[in-house]
Amino acid sequence: MKRYILTLFNLLAALTLTAQEVNITVDAPERAVTGERFRIVYTVNTTGGQFIPPAFDPSFSVSGPQQSTSRNVQWINGEMSSVSTTTLIYYVVATKPGRYTIPEASFQSKKVTVTAPAREIEIVAGGAAASQSQGQSQGQGISQPAGVQAADAGTDVSLKLHVSTREVYVGQPVSATLKLYTRVNLSGINELKYPDFKGFLREDLETPELRSLETEVIDGVQYGTGVLQRFLLYPQISGEIRIEPVQMTAMVQQRTSIRDPFFDDPFFDDHFFDSFFSGVSTVPRSVSSQPVTIMVKPLPEPRPADFHGAVGSFTLSSDLSKSEVEVNDAIDFTISIKGSGNINLAGEPVIHFPQGIEKYDPEVTVRSSGTASGSKTFKYLLIPRNSGTFEIPPVSYTVFDPQQHKYVTLRSEGYSITVTGSDDQAEVAAPVYIPGEDVKYLGQDIRFIRSGNGNLTLTRQPLVKTTYYWLWFILALFLASVVLLLRREQLRRNADITALRNRKAARNAHRRLAKAKALLGSGMTEQANSELARALWGYLADKLSMPQSQITRENCHAGLRARNVEEGLITEFDSIISVTEYSQYAPRTEGESPAALLERASLLISKLDNVLD
Amino acid sequence: MRRAIAIIIILICSLPGVTAQSAGERYSQAGELYSSGDYSGAAAIYRQLYEEGYRSEDLLYNAGNAFFRSGDNASAILFYERAKLMAPADEDIDYNLQIARSRVTDRFETVPRLFFSRWFDFLSLLTSTNSWAMAALVMFVVSLLLALIFLTKSRARGRLLSFWLALTALILSAVMISLAMRNNSLINNNKRAVITCSIVTGRSAPGENGSELFVLHSGTTVTVEQELGKFYEVKLPDGNKGWVRGDCMEKI
């Protein structure tokens, strides 16, 4: 029954429509980017009739038209007015830049033909990104076949990882924001999957749950955006580090219209009915962000000894709870590092607490304000075990300041603790026998430099590498050889003299004997005898190569025996010498005449000369 | 013109003034810098003195300390090793060298050298190469004198003694010459080198194409076996060999 009434209305409306003027409008952008999809929309204010499409440029890739009709029936003060429209949408992708004309299109109704004007369109070259994003869809809730939309809406949803900086030092925190961009309705996000951030230490920051999207216009396109997660990345190694894409599955809402042959009627092809009879389905789609490369610079070498990994700009403060205490009372010593940087990774400072104060491991508290700044506090519990005054030296803590590109050493105050009371309480429980304590070695360090003038000397040419050094050896050898030769020559000449004496010995002796004979003839017997003795001694001295001073009877005996002279000759020699010696003291002797003695001596010399030679 | 001459004269006069800061003064200045904590400043002065040719065990030892304190452990080891060559029996040098070596990344199972080789090196380093050379020359002359006595003396008793003494002196002279040469090669032409790059790769062939054999870190002491262009073949303390870039090491 209801349906009949509706049909009736329809008829009535058709009657009134005939009176209306038919027109057609075209809506097309004035410029578009190559590779990017744009729409050309023709709107006709009637439903019945035929649309004659324009002849698009062959370089355009055209899909469509999508036709939709709507009708509006109004009753105002008993008068009915009805508006019906037909909308035709072409999706066009231009491939080449240039100026194009979209020719006229016309619409033929039962009575009239209306023509839409031609439109000029300028296609400009898009970047690589534009050509990648081919197949974008406006997708504003217009019903279209589900398959088309799923394929087209590849970049309707995108993820982007924003990083605060792309060039950092090792340890310097990078704040990163994972942001969602969408042009379609999403019902939710599933399986947000982070990469393993190789080379980084990741710290998630508190991020409010994404409930509503904000509107943001990027390159003239409107996006719904929202921050999914904020986090801090602390680079651990140097080099160009690539952050792999973040992946997620977005639940995209899209309409699917239910086509029923019964409702295949222009009247029902209407948004009003769409919302009743078509469903909204949710399609999962996987989305991933672009990889990001971060240049991580190494910290300069050499690293100071008191650098414990803190990178950023920090200040150091210290506090001592009490400076006068009793033995065994606890004191708190606090060192805190404040500022922005990798506060979480800042290592414990090295504090040289004096001996006699017991130190416990510090209580570490980190307070960070959601970003990379905050404070880290090391609270040491100290218990003095001995009385006296102790000094806590100033703590030096070196951090690397990436803004100044250098290491900065922070220093805290030094403190003095006065401990009162006696420390013998502990010894009550100690055993009576206290052995001597070993010396406590606190650490190892190099010994101090030498003072003094250093005894600097310039390096000299090594002698073994010089020629003159070796020449000295040769010179010494040469000198020694010369000395040796000279000495040899001298010896040889001495030997020659001996030989000469040897040769002339007999002659000299005979000459002396002749002289003795002459003396005897002139009646000088004493002189003749001494001349005879001289002849014998001289002969032996020459023959035995002995100097005159060494001539004694014993030496002569030895020399003659050494030369194998007969004992008879030696006795003869002795007897002649004895006679001559006697004759000197007792001139008038009986017996042998001096002339006979001369004969004996002459004979002896001849015999000896034969033997000795 | 006159002005130019005046300037030249002033320059010439001021030249000795500029260099007048004597080595001794700079040495003590470096000591003061060290005491006040400016270790790298002290190290720079010590190194400059070394490069100008000044030597003394104290200079090298102090240079090692300054480099150690300024964080340059490799140079510290280098200078301690050099100091050790000048004073092989010095306890402080040994101690500091041991501490500096304990900070080196690379550890090796060292193959110990033969005891007489170590003794010979130790003996050769007890005094300078020139002292050994002079002693050798003196000993040679003594040997010659004794030989002359042997060759000219006629009495048998003295001859035999002088012969043996001359032979002993000749052998001693030869030993001293070899000690002088060993000392010279240890001090002036040492084959050992210290790696100065923080990390360097040893390869199977000179150049960047050889397959990688090992990785060395700064402070490691190696022995240079041969040199080919920019690459040196080094022998590690454990006996392995490989080619390493020559600009990554400094000879002791």
Side-chain angles (χ1 to χ4, degrees):
Chain A
M1 186 62 208
K2 187 182 172 192
R3 197 160 174 231
Y4 285 106
I5 295 166
L6 281 172
T7 316
L8 190 68
F9 285 156
N10 204 357
L11 284 172
L12 284 169
L15 282 172
T16 45
L17 266 175
T18 49
Q20 243 180 348
E21 206 178 312
V22 176
N23 62 24
I24 180 165
T25 56
V26 58
D27 179 25
E30 284 180 1
R31 53 167 49 181
V33 178
T34 55
E36 212 159 88
R37 170 178 291 224
F38 59 92
R39 298 194 303 173
I40 299 170
V41 182
Y42 292 94
T43 316
V44 189
N45 62 345
T46 183
T47 45
Q50 199 185 349
F51 179 73
I52 300 154
F56 287 107
D57 191 280
S59 71
F60 287 2
S61 101
V62 182
S63 61
Q66 268 178 26
Q67 188 166 352
S68 62
T69 53
S70 69
R71 178 171 298 169
N72 224 344
V73 182
Q74 278 182 322
W75 291 86
I76 299 165
N77 296 334
E79 269 191 57
M80 186 196 77
S81 67
S82 160
V83 179
S84 58
T85 48
T86 304
T87 311
L88 293 120
I89 304 169
Y90 286 94
Y91 292 95
V92 182
V93 178
T95 51
K96 280 185 236 158
R99 205 162 246 294
Y100 296 93
T101 306
I102 301 165
E104 293 172 350
S106 51
F107 187 81
Q108 275 184 331
S109 73
K110 279 161 199 160
K111 290 171 186 162
V112 287
T113 300
V114 286
T115 306
R119 293 293 294 266
E120 288 269 306
I121 185 162
E122 189 186 358
I123 307 293
V124 293
S131 63
Q132 270 181 3
S133 63
Q134 196 165 22
Q136 266 179 350
S137 160
Q138 300 299 96
Q140 288 168 341
I142 298 147
S143 68
Q144 48 176 271
V148 173
Q149 180 161 3
D152 284 346
T155 53
D156 281 349
V157 187
S158 61
L159 269 180
K160 199 169 177 202
L161 189 67
H162 293 278
V163 288
S164 59
T165 169
R166 283 177 189 268
E167 201 177 319
V168 288
Y169 281 99
V170 170
Q172 186 186 354
V174 179
S175 78
T177 310
L178 185 65
K179 215 167 171 188
L180 172 75
Y181 293 84
T182 179
R183 291 197 295 188
V184 293
N185 286 334
L186 300 178
S187 67
I189 290 163
N190 282 349
E191 299 167 34
L192 190 57
K193 210 167 80 187
Y194 291 106
D196 54 2
F197 291 103
K198 205 181 261 181
F200 289 98
L201 220 67
R202 184 180 118 210
E203 184 194 340
D204 285 349
L205 297 174
E206 214 172 287
T207 314
E209 208 179 313
L210 187 62
R211 290 187 189 279
S212 60
L213 297 179
E214 283 171 30
T215 308
E216 209 174 300
V217 178
I218 297 158
D219 294 335
V221 182
Q222 196 174 351
Y223 289 92
T225 63
V227 173
L228 289 174
Q229 182 69 48
R230 290 178 204 280
F231 41 84
L232 291 176
L233 296 173
Y234 300 102
Q236 299 299 297
I237 50 171
S238 60
E240 269 193 23
I241 309 182
R242 195 175 122 108
I243 302 176
E244 297 299 325
V246 181
Q247 293 176 337
M248 68 161 191
T249 308
M251 306 308 288
V252 177
Q253 283 185 341
Q254 62 190 27
R255 285 163 187 276
T256 45
S257 46
I258 302 159
R259 296 273 171 185
D260 190 313
F262 186 75
F263 288 103
D264 197 6
D265 183 285
F267 181 77
F268 297 103
D269 198 359
D270 190 308
H271 284 299
F272 175 71
F273 287 102
D274 267 358
S275 54
F276 273 117
F277 301 111
S278 66
V280 174
S281 69
T282 305
V283 177
R285 184 180 309 148
S286 66
V287 178
S288 60
S289 68
Q290 293 286 317
V292 177
T293 307
I294 291 182
M295 182 70 211
V296 182
K297 293 183 280 185
L299 294 179
E301 295 284 344
R303 299 184 181 194
D306 54 354
F307 174 70
H308 303 293
V311 176
S313 66
F314 297 105
T315 56
L316 187 74
S317 62
S318 59
D319 182 50
L320 188 70
S321 63
K322 286 183 272 187
S323 62
E324 283 181 25
V325 281
E326 297 254 318
V327 168
N328 297 339
D329 269 6
I331 335 169
D332 285 334
F333 179 70
T334 317
I335 282 278
S336 61
I337 301 153
K338 283 197 192 75
S340 62
N342 59 349
I343 195 94
N344 275 333
L345 303 178
E348 190 189 333
V350 177
I351 308 170
H352 302 286
F353 288 108
Q355 289 299 301
I357 291 189
E358 213 168 299
K359 176 200 94 171
Y360 291 90
D361 282 344
E363 188 186 310
V364 184
T365 19
V366 180
R367 239 169 289 152
S368 63
S369 57
T371 57
S373 64
S375 70
K376 190 169 196 173
T377 309
F378 299 90
K379 190 170 169 187
Y380 294 86
L381 180 70
L382 306 180
I383 299 179
R385 296 293 187 200
N386 299 87
S387 61
T389 305
F390 298 94
E391 296 286 338
I392 297 180
V395 176
S396 78
Y397 192 80
T398 298
V399 299
F400 183 78
D401 193 333
Q403 258 88 50
Q404 299 180 45
H405 304 285
K406 64 175 187 186
Y407 292 100
V408 177
T409 302
L410 311 171
R411 263 172 223 285
S412 75
E413 284 175 71
Y415 293 94
S416 163
I417 305 173
T418 310
V419 184
T420 52
S422 59
D423 45 334
D424 52 8
Q425 286 168 326
E427 283 173 9
V428 173
V432 181
Y433 167 70
I434 303 164
E437 260 184 69
D438 285 338
V439 176
K440 261 187 208 167
Y441 291 103
L442 304 176
Q444 263 198 333
D445 200 359
I446 57 167
R447 292 177 184 169
F448 198 68
I449 52 166
R450 303 262 170 85
S451 51
N453 61 5
N455 300 319
L456 295 182
T457 49
L458 275 170
T459 44
R460 266 175 262 142
Q461 170 86 346
L463 283 179
V464 288
K465 293 281 166 194
T466 59
T467 319
Y468 67 80
Y469 173 72
W470 299 106
L471 283 178
W472 275 106
F473 278 85
I474 292 166
L475 184 70
L477 198 62
F478 175 74
L479 282 177
S481 315
V482 167
V483 168
L484 185 66
L485 282 177
L486 287 176
R487 179 83 185 122
R488 277 275 159 85
E489 180 63 23
Q490 195 190 0
L491 284 178
R492 194 178 59 78
R493 272 178 30 211
N494 285 352
D496 285 353
I497 289 164
T498 317
L500 193 70
R501 273 170 75 190
N502 193 25
R503 274 202 305 278
K504 292 189 174 169
R507 216 192 311 166
N508 285 341
H510 284 296
R511 200 184 294 149
R512 282 200 170 118
L513 286 179
K515 196 179 173 188
K517 207 169 191 174
L519 286 170
L520 199 65
S522 58
M524 290 183 281
T525 322
E526 280 171 41
Q527 282 86 345
N529 273 345
S530 70
E531 194 63 39
L532 169 68
R534 224 177 284 146
L536 274 178
W537 286 126
Y539 175 79
L540 279 182
D542 288 350
K543 274 289 174 195
L544 297 177
S545 308
M546 275 191 248
Q548 292 284 344
S549 57
Q550 283 184 16
I551 292 293
T552 58
R553 221 179 263 204
E554 287 76 33
N555 282 351
C556 289
H557 287 178
L560 291 171
R561 286 201 186 102
R563 298 195 180 202
N564 300 325
V565 177
E566 289 165 41
E567 281 299 312
L569 290 175
I570 295 170
T571 342
E572 175 71 5
F573 168 75
D574 269 357
S575 76
I576 295 171
I577 290 294
S578 303
V579 169
T580 57
E581 280 171 356
Y582 282 134
S583 69
Q584 282 182 351
Y585 308 110
R588 295 191 189 149
T589 42
E590 314 302 306
E592 208 173 8
S593 70
L597 196 67
L598 270 176
E599 276 306 309
R600 274 175 66 193
S602 178
L603 195 66
L604 175 69
I605 286 168
S606 303
K607 281 181 180 168
L608 280 176
D609 214 34
N610 288 338
V611 178
L612 287 173
D613 183 41
Chain B
M1 186 62 200
R2 190 174 284 178
R3 206 169 148 197
I5 290 171
I7 289 172
I8 288 168
I9 288 171
I10 289 169
L11 277 177
I12 288 168
C13 291
S14 62
L15 239 153
V18 172
T19 54
Q21 206 185 7
S22 74
E25 281 168 26
R26 280 186 288 154
Y27 177 81
S28 39
Q29 188 200 342
E32 282 160 22
L33 285 179
Y34 184 94
S35 303
S36 66
D38 182 2
Y39 301 120
S40 33
I45 294 177
Y46 286 136
R47 182 182 267 280
Q48 202 196 352
L49 283 171
Y50 176 82
E51 275 159 11
E52 283 170 19
Y54 288 101
R55 296 286 183 279
S56 86
E57 60 171 281
D58 286 1
L59 169 70
L60 298 171
Y61 170 78
N62 289 359
N65 278 8
F67 279 114
F68 182 86
R69 283 266 182 261
S70 64
D72 187 352
N73 203 36
S75 297
I77 290 176
L78 183 68
F79 275 91
Y80 285 141
E81 291 274 15
R82 284 171 177 166
K84 215 182 157 192
L85 290 180
M86 295 206 73
D90 192 288
E91 197 197 324
D92 290 348
I93 297 171
D94 270 348
Y95 183 81
N96 287 4
L97 178 58
Q98 176 211 327
I99 287 183
R101 276 200 185 135
S102 69
R103 300 201 175 177
V104 175
T105 318
D106 301 326
R107 302 237 177 269
F108 290 102
E109 292 287 322
T110 46
V111 184
R113 293 167 62 208
L114 284 174
F115 70 95
F116 56 79
S117 154
R118 271 184 290 135
W119 288 358
F120 188 74
D121 280 1
F122 184 82
L123 197 63
S124 76
L125 291 170
L126 279 181
T127 185
S128 71
T129 170
N130 285 2
S131 309
W132 281 125
M134 288 313 292
L137 186 58
V138 167
M139 207 37 90
F140 184 70
V141 170
V142 167
S143 150
L144 284 181
L145 289 176
L146 288 166
L148 276 182
I149 289 169
F150 164 70
L151 289 172
T152 55
K153 260 280 161 91
S154 47
R155 255 186 274 166
R157 193 159 44 103
R159 286 191 73 187
L160 201 65
L161 185 66
S162 63
F163 172 77
W164 287 114
L165 283 177
L167 195 66
T168 313
L170 190 69
I171 291 169
L172 273 180
S173 171
V175 168
M176 282 169 174
I177 284 175
S178 57
L179 284 173
M181 284 175 151
R182 181 64 187 157
N183 181 295
N184 179 48
S185 79
L186 279 178
I187 286 184
N188 297 322
N189 189 23
N190 205 303
K191 295 283 181 210
R192 287 190 304 149
V194 176
I195 301 291
T196 48
C197 292
S198 66
I199 188 162
V200 68
T201 314
R203 295 172 189 276
S204 61
E208 299 289 353
N209 301 325
S211 60
E212 299 185 350
L213 298 179
F214 50 76
V215 166
L216 296 178
H217 297 86
S218 68
T220 302
T221 310
V222 296
T223 311
V224 178
E225 300 264 308
Q226 54 172 319
E227 300 176 11
L228 198 74
K230 281 194 281 180
F231 283 82
Y232 293 178
E233 188 187 28
V234 300
K235 190 173 173 183
L236 305 187
D238 62 2
N240 285 313
K241 286 184 188 179
W243 290 87
V244 175
R245 264 171 42 217
D247 56 354
C248 262
M249 62 182 82
E250 191 169 345
K251 284 191 183 174
I252 287 169

